[in-house]
Amino acid sequence: MSHTRSIRELASDLAAKKISAVELTEHFLKRIAAHDERLNTLISRNEESARERAAAIDAGDNAGAALAGLPIAHKDIFCTRGVRTSCGSRMLDNFVAPYDATVVERLAGAGTVTLGKTNMDEFAMGSSNETSFYGSVRNPWNTDYVPGGSSGGSAAAVAAGLVPAATGSDTGGSIRQPAALCGVTGIKPTYGRVSRYGMIAFASSLDQGGCFARSAEDCAAVLQAMSGFDARDSTSVEREVPDYSAVLDSQGDDFLEGLKVGLPKEYFAEGLDDASRKVIEAAIAEFEARGAEIVEITLPHTDLAVSTYYVLAPAEASSNLARFDGVRYGYRCENPVDLEDLYTRSRGEGFGREVQRRIMVGAYVLSAGYYDAYYLKAQKTRRLIARDFSDAFENVDLIAAPVTQAPAFKLGEKLDDPVSMYLNDVYTLPASLAGLPGMSVPAGFVDGLPVGLQLLAPWFEESRLLGAAHAYQQSTDWHTKRPAGFE
Amino acid sequence: MSLSEDQVRNVARLARLGLDDDQIADYAGELSNILDVVVSLEKADTTDVEPMAHPLDLAARLRADDAIEVSSRDEFQAIAPAVAEGVYLVPKVIE
């Protein structure tokens, strides 16, 4: 059963020709055909190009590359040359990208085979995947529930075994939250670690690419291929990328021994659902059993994160999304009478409700007379939040916390209440604002729905996150559980 | 913190979003609720705190002023809504 095997096992079988890239691709395409009508994880399926690519790999393309022949899916926020890149929006429903994002190019260089483009909240704005123009994704653990968002398609596809790994992007939690709600392992690296070139911009000072897979070990392999400096992204950081898999191999089971792990008391305060709390406490007890020292810490400005984020992200979005004007690409309204009409109707008809809401919040907080009170103020509170973390990391090596206050909610439950949806992001926003690397690791279940443990490390310490998660996954089996019906 | 329909109309105009009156009314309520949340920033003491524009406090990297992009006009215009003879077409702007 290829879909239950680790990336390392698949890569070694591919390299040894025990299985061909074509066979592996066909296996996953069959799973997609069998299950995706129900889950709606993919906006575009690339069966033909995937088969051709797999055959080319079998014929010697990318021979010796780390992931040669491994099927993956890309979040539909990453531009893929010659393939529709919709960003979950009607605005880009007809947009066939003329170039590849750096992430897509690098993963192709590592030998991956792209099976499709995953569903997402429109322009990555949402925490439930319900704002997609292509309809909601369903959570494989219970199809009445949301998969989380915005990278909900990627998380659900990995959870259901439709792909071994998928890319995602995180602006305020869009990798960690769906990873938690779907019971998969997800990592958002430090801002600047993964190139944003060709990743459609939402909030440029926050957006960061990352990935989903079944385990920390699998994430390490995929992140390795995605990471590193890119001259085409002016916010990309010139800094060496460690060999993540080597770190896991060398320290393996002992990684947690002597590691000082801080539990921020603000993340365990009122609001955290009791059953989820028990799951997180059990995970932390396992860390302790493996030699970690657990201490309580404080991140005193946590309560400012939602307000700060919902000023800064919409402000940046209103500016970034100004490019969608109906002139050069994307949606254009029928029979515009003049240029103003062309702009306003194309944007009025092409953008969905949540995107329009955020553009307007952004335009408002940036408008004359309000800039200082909202935007500038939020940039200052952002520094307070980031400082909380730098202070905390003077005393601890790692932070552990819940990812969400509760497991997945029902489809439709929060759709008409944007504020309650926003408040949902309270545990993931602070690390995004600070630009820190973060992970979600499967830690258990509440009423059959997965719960994720959030791990945060200092800037550029992705290997510490992966090492800790890997050690935890050596003695727990939550990450190996599969939703009924998708075995 | 409550936004009037006129304020929403003005913001929609600034953002070039064509909305009808029903939408304006809905958004007025929703945007007011969102601003009710973010207004809590007022209470934070940010005396002597420098605004943070970038998570790593890095300056943007500069590069030599050389042309690095190749011309891909035909490819770019192949996905445009309306083009002719290498230019993008829009409704007439000069009478």
Side-chain angles (χ1 to χ4, degrees):
Chain A
M1 296 293 273
S2 302
H3 59 278
T4 61
R5 313 195 62 202
S6 74
I7 287 178
R8 178 172 288 195
E9 289 167 339
L10 292 174
S12 107
D13 282 3
L14 283 160
K17 310 253 182 224
K18 283 188 193 160
I19 185 168
S20 70
V22 168
E23 286 166 339
L24 196 59
T25 291
E26 290 296 345
H27 175 79
F28 283 101
L29 287 177
K30 248 182 231 142
R31 288 189 62 80
I32 290 168
H35 297 296
D36 208 44
E37 288 301 318
R38 213 165 128 212
L39 297 177
N40 196 28
T41 67
L42 294 172
I43 290 173
S44 303
R45 298 185 194 177
N46 314 333
E47 287 103 340
E48 280 324 300
S49 62
R51 287 187 175 109
E52 283 167 25
R53 166 84 173 135
I57 301 253
D58 284 336
D61 277 15
N62 298 96
L67 305 176
L70 185 81
I72 58 162
H74 286 295
K75 184 176 183 179
D76 210 15
I77 200 168
F78 290 103
C79 286
T80 40
R81 188 184 179 90
V83 175
R84 175 174 62 177
T85 300
S86 74
C87 221
S89 182
R90 182 186 193 188
M91 185 59 89
L92 291 178
D93 183 48
N94 61 5
F95 177 67
V96 176
Y99 68 103
D100 276 332
T102 296
V103 160
V104 171
E105 198 179 273
R106 288 200 174 161
L107 280 166
T112 60
V113 176
T114 307
L115 303 190
K117 303 291 297 288
T118 61
N119 203 343
M120 56 182 284
D121 278 301
E122 184 179 6
F123 284 102
M125 297 177 193
S127 311
S128 68
N129 221 115
E130 292 166 288
T131 73
S132 170
F133 176 61
Y134 303 91
S136 307
V137 173
R138 291 172 178 274
N139 190 318
W141 291 95
N142 184 330
T143 51
D144 293 335
Y145 286 75
V146 302
S150 68
S151 317
S154 293
V158 171
L162 309 187
V163 277
T167 55
S169 67
D170 183 305
T171 303
S174 286
I175 291 176
R176 287 161 289 157
Q177 189 254 18
L181 269 41
C182 289
V184 298
T185 306
I187 183 163
K188 165 228 183 284
T190 310
Y191 180 86
R193 180 57 102 188
V194 167
S195 170
R196 297 186 300 110
Y197 178 79
M199 187 173 97
I200 295 170
F202 159 15
S204 303
S205 81
L206 295 152
D207 297 342
Q208 179 60 205
C211 61
F212 298 88
R214 310 279 331 163
S215 65
E217 187 189 46
D218 285 1
C219 280
V222 178
L223 186 65
Q224 194 80 51
M226 295 169 71
S227 298
F229 175 68
D230 177 14
R232 294 179 296 186
D233 170 4
S234 63
T235 59
S236 163
V237 173
E238 269 184 282
R239 197 174 163 127
E240 204 183 325
V241 182
D243 184 338
Y244 298 129
S245 300
V247 172
L248 305 196
D249 286 346
S250 65
Q251 290 177 272
D253 293 13
D254 300 331
F255 198 92
L256 293 169
E257 184 70 48
L259 209 68
K260 204 164 171 187
V261 179
L263 309 182
K265 65 177 186 194
E266 294 79 6
Y267 289 57
F268 292 87
E270 201 184 330
L272 177 61
D273 142 70
D274 278 339
S276 299
R277 178 192 305 271
K278 287 199 179 77
V279 169
I280 298 301
E281 283 172 353
I284 288 160
E286 182 59 33
F287 270 53
E288 205 167 9
R290 298 199 133 250
E293 184 193 345
I294 309 294
V295 292
E296 188 185 91
I297 59 166
T298 176
L299 299 168
H301 297 98
T302 299
D303 62 341
L304 294 172
V306 172
S307 316
T308 303
Y309 180 85
Y310 282 99
V311 171
L312 296 180
E316 294 186 24
S318 76
S319 168
N320 272 326
L321 273 60
R323 73 190 63 177
F324 301 103
D325 56 6
V327 174
R328 292 153 303 153
Y329 54 87
Y331 180 80
R332 176 182 283 202
C333 65
E334 299 271 338
N335 308 316
V337 296
D338 56 23
L339 200 53
E340 183 78 13
D341 184 46
L342 166 65
Y343 293 150
T344 55
R345 274 204 295 130
S346 297
R347 291 166 62 81
E349 295 165 12
F351 289 134
R353 203 177 168 89
E354 179 60 21
V355 172
Q356 293 188 342
R357 249 188 316 250
R358 295 206 198 186
I359 288 174
M360 285 193 284
V361 169
Y364 179 77
V365 299
L366 290 174
S367 60
Y370 298 102
Y371 180 90
D372 285 4
Y374 289 105
Y375 187 70
L376 202 63
K377 183 79 180 180
Q379 284 194 317
K380 292 177 180 177
T381 51
R382 179 178 190 179
R383 184 171 300 281
L384 294 175
I385 292 162
R387 235 182 240 168
D388 281 357
F389 285 107
S390 41
D391 290 348
F393 283 127
E394 291 197 358
N395 300 309
V396 297
D397 302 310
L398 201 67
I399 292 173
V403 179
T404 56
Q405 295 189 317
F409 46 92
K410 280 198 164 155
L411 286 156
E413 193 180 306
K414 297 188 182 182
L415 197 53
D416 297 326
D417 184 1
V419 167
S420 119
M421 193 79 95
Y422 295 176
L423 294 173
N424 213 40
D425 301 335
V426 59
Y427 300 151
T428 53
L429 296 175
S432 294
L433 287 163
L436 289 168
M439 264 185 105
S440 176
V441 184
F445 293 84
V446 169
D447 297 332
L449 293 166
V451 174
L453 171 72
Q454 180 169 217
L455 299 176
L456 302 173
W459 292 267
F460 298 102
E461 295 293 343
E462 287 80 13
S463 44
R464 198 179 296 169
L465 290 178
L466 291 163
H470 179 63
Y472 173 73
Q473 290 179 338
Q474 298 312 294
S475 58
T476 56
D477 62 358
W478 302 115
H479 64 293
T480 66
K481 305 281 185 205
R482 309 210 156 243
F486 302 95
E487 288 91 351
Chain B
M1 189 71 212
S2 142
L3 280 191
S4 68
E5 291 188 17
D6 276 348
Q7 282 175 301
V8 175
R9 217 168 263 120
N10 184 46
V11 172
R13 188 188 59 78
L14 290 173
R16 299 293 184 273
L17 290 170
L19 305 175
D20 62 33
D21 287 346
D22 285 349
Q23 289 173 307
I24 295 281
D26 286 351
Y27 281 132
E30 292 167 5
L31 298 188
S32 300
N33 291 340
I34 294 168
L35 291 174
D36 277 341
V37 173
V38 305
V39 81
S40 69
L41 287 179
E42 272 174 18
K43 288 178 286 179
D45 180 2
T46 52
T47 321
D48 299 328
V49 178
E50 279 290 303
M52 184 174 173
H54 185 284
L56 303 174
D57 280 328
L58 294 178
R61 190 164 24 76
L62 301 177
R63 62 168 176 84
D65 187 19
D66 299 326
I68 53 168
E69 295 287 342
V70 291
S71 171
S72 311
R73 186 163 75 176
D74 291 346
E75 212 175 346
F76 291 164
Q77 294 203 329
I79 52 170
V83 289
E85 295 169 34
V87 299
Y88 294 92
L89 296 184
V90 294
K92 199 168 165 186
V93 287
I94 302 166
E95 289 305 323

